[in-house]
Amino acid sequence: MKILGIETSCDETGASVIEDGVKILSNIVASSQPIHIKTGGIIPEIAAREQIKLILPVIESALKKEGLKIENVDALAVTSGPGLVGSLLVGLETAKTLAHVFNKPIIPVNHLLGHVYTNWITKSKIKNQNLPEFPAIVLIVSGGHTELLLMTDHGQYEWLGATRDDAAGECFDKCARLLKLGYPGGPAIAVAAAKLKIQNAKFKIKLPRPMLKSDDFDFSFSGLKTAVLREIERQSITHNPKLITYLAHEIQEAITDVLVAKTLRAVKKYKVKSVLLSGGVAANDRLREKFLDTCYSLPTTKFFAPPKNLCTDNAAGIAACAFFNFSPLPWPELRALSSLTL
Ligand code: KG4
Ligand code: ZN
C-alpha cells in the first residue's frame, strides 16, 4: 500500500510517499526557515503564507521522484495537529481537496505520532528487518513538546509524563537566543559545544539538571534557561567566546542528562524491549551518543533513533503512522475537520 503523507504543522512543508509503512519512496521537505532566521523565530502568519506557496510544488515533486501519479497512491495522510493553526489549515485543505477530486481515503495523523513513526522507516522493505518491538518507551523531544510514552502496540499508548513548562527544543532555542548563537538554537548550541576541546574552555560553572531525581516522569526546562540568563548577567559574556562555548556545552549536557535519566527510569520500570527517540532534538549527536551508551548496558532493550533528516518535521512519519493505524475518516466528518476546529 502506497500512502502520500502531507505535513504542514509549522515552518516545514513536507510530502512523502511511503510503501507499507516502512519503505521510503520519496520524501520532500521545503522550509521557510531562512525567513525566520532573520526574525530570530517563527511568525505564524508568515509561515502559513509560505506553506501556500510551497505545498503544491512539494507534493508534485514527491510524486514525480518515483514517477508516480496521485491516481496510483492508495490513500492520503495529513497532519491534523498539534501545530500552528494557519500552517495546518494549508495541509488539511489541500489533502481534503485532493482526496475529494481523486476519490482517495484520507487519514488524519497527530503530528507527534508522525515523529514517533519515523522509527519504522527504512530504505528497503525487507521482511524481519530490525523494526521496533513492543512494549516500547517513546521519548518525543521537539520544539514544542517533551513527552514520555509507554507504547504497547500500534495505537496503544500510556502517557507517562511531559514537561511542566518549556520543551527541550524550546530550551535549546531560548538559550541559543540568550547566547546570541542564532536560530534554530539546537543545532547552533551543538556546533558551539563541539568547540569545547579545541578552545580548551574551562570554567567552574555547573548548570542545574532540573527534576533529574524527581520521583515521576515529568521534565522542567524553564529554570535551566533562567540559570543561563543569570550567568550571562554575572559575566561579561559577549566579550568571551570561550565562555559562550563552555555554556553551550553545559546547556547541551544538562538537557541531555535529564532526558536520558528520565527515559532510563521508565525503561527499567516497564522492562521494555525498545526505546524510541523522536522529534527535532533527536538529531542531537550528544543525545544519541548518551542513549546508545545507556542502552548498551541493557542487553534486552534495543535503541532506535530515526536518521537525522527524519528527526525534524517531515511527511514520511505521517504516512508511516497512517499505515500502521489505518483509519480513514468518512466524508461528513472529514469535511468538518479543519484546523479551526482542532
Ligand atoms: O520536531 P521539530 O522539527 O519541530 C517541532 O515539531 O517542534 O523540532 C524542532 C526543534 C527545535 O527546537 C530545534 O532547535 C531542535 O528541534 N533541534 C535540535 C537539533 N536539531 C533540531 N536540538 C538539538 N540538537 C540538534 N541537532
Ligand atoms: Zn515536529
Side-chain angles (χ1 to χ4, degrees), residues 7 9-12 33 82 111-112 115 140-145 167-173 183-191 252 278-287 308 311-314:
E7 151 66 38
S9 67
C10 194
D11 59 337
E12 263 97 21
Q33 207 173 73
H111 175 75
L112 299 177
H115 274 303
I140 306 168
V141 269
S142 68
H145 292 265
E170 189 179 358
C171 184
F172 270 116
D173 292 338
Y183 172 86
I189 290 212
V191 168
Q252 182 171 257
S278 54
V281 180
N284 186 276
D285 283 324
R286 187 70 181 120
L287 182 64
K308 283 197 207 165
C311 289
T312 43
D313 289 348
N314 64 81

Side-chain angles (χ1 to χ4, degrees), residues 44-63:
E45 173 70 18
I46 293 176
R49 283 173 190 272
E50 290 305 304
Q51 298 281 10
I52 295 171
K53 289 186 211 158
L54 294 168
I55 187 75
L56 290 179
V58 164
I59 291 174
E60 266 169 14
S61 33
L63 291 168

Side-chain angles (χ1 to χ4, degrees), residues 196 199-207 231 235-237 239-250:
L196 186 85
Q199 291 189 349
N200 193 22
K202 284 183 190 153
F203 294 87
K204 280 190 180 150
I205 303 168
K206 179 95 176 154
L207 293 173
E231 283 306 327
Q235 330 245 359
S236 59
I237 190 159
H239 303 298
N240 193 341
K242 278 193 180 183
L243 187 53
I244 293 177
T245 300
Y246 182 86
L247 276 177
H249 178 265
E250 186 54 18

Side-chain angles (χ1 to χ4, degrees), residues 162-304:
T163 182
R164 294 186 184 177
D165 38 57
D166 292 356
E170 189 179 358
C171 184
F172 270 116
D173 292 338
K174 287 180 175 168
C175 289
R177 200 183 177 123
L178 291 172
L179 295 177
K180 299 194 171 40
L181 287 173
Y183 172 86
I189 290 212
V191 168
K195 293 181 192 152
L196 186 85
K197 278 198 187 131
I198 306 164
Q199 291 189 349
N200 193 22
K202 284 183 190 153
F203 294 87
K204 280 190 180 150
I205 303 168
K206 179 95 176 154
L207 293 173
R209 269 65 174 160
M211 298 187 72
L212 183 76
K213 294 193 174 137
S214 67
D215 192 20
D216 53 31
F217 296 113
D218 281 350
F219 303 85
S220 165
F221 293 105
S222 69
L224 180 56
K225 172 192 66 191
T226 313
V228 172
L229 181 63
R230 294 282 165 271
E231 283 306 327
I232 290 171
E233 284 169 351
R234 238 187 351 199
Q235 330 245 359
S236 59
I237 190 159
T238 41
H239 303 298
N240 193 341
K242 278 193 180 183
L243 187 53
I244 293 177
T245 300
Y246 182 86
L247 276 177
H249 178 265
E250 186 54 18
I251 291 162
Q252 182 171 257
E253 288 304 307
I255 296 174
T256 52
D257 275 354
V258 180
L259 293 176
V260 174
K262 279 286 162 86
T263 309
L264 186 64
R265 239 177 94 87
V267 167
K268 287 186 173 160
K269 176 165 178 186
Y270 294 98
K271 299 184 177 57
V272 292
K273 291 187 182 158
S274 319
V275 181
L276 313 187
L277 188 57
S278 54
V281 180
N284 186 276
D285 283 324
R286 187 70 181 120
L287 182 64
R288 295 163 86 99
E289 185 181 271
K290 283 186 183 176
F291 264 114
L292 265 178
D293 285 352
T294 307
C295 291
Y296 199 64
S297 63
L298 304 165
T300 52
T301 310
K302 279 192 190 160
F303 171 65
F304 293 85

